[in-house]
Amino acid sequence: MTLPPEKIGDKGQRFVVQTSGWPRTDVMGWQNAGYAETHEGATQMMRAFAKCPGVKHVHIKDRRPA
């Protein structure tokens, strides 16, 4: 199944939640796990990802330039 372009990507959301050790265990370093418009939403997502089996570390990255 192919998704239309408007259903793919982060759509410019400000925060990215990154994980280490999940979803792919063969990848070293940080992997983008999800995107959020607000810091509160990213924090909720981070807490959920932290409970996933295999996750070593989770953090939030603000993609807006300082």
Side-chain angles (χ1 to χ4, degrees):
M1 175 178 170
T2 302
L3 295 173
E6 65 272 8
K7 299 282 187 183
I8 299 172
D10 60 62
K11 302 295 173 238
Q13 294 177 333
R14 178 174 176 176
F15 299 96
V16 61
V17 179
Q18 296 181 321
T19 60
S20 174
W22 186 89
R24 293 188 50 192
T25 58
D26 62 327
V27 175
M28 298 298 288
W30 295 103
Q31 301 172 70
N32 293 347
Y35 300 91
E37 290 280 337
T38 65
H39 192 269
E40 181 182 318
T43 301
Q44 290 177 354
M45 194 180 300
M46 181 183 75
R47 289 182 184 139
F49 281 122
K51 295 177 183 178
C52 292
V55 171
K56 295 175 184 163
H57 304 286
V58 184
H59 74 251
I60 298 170
K61 181 176 177 183
D62 187 346
R63 302 189 313 163
R64 185 171 294 165

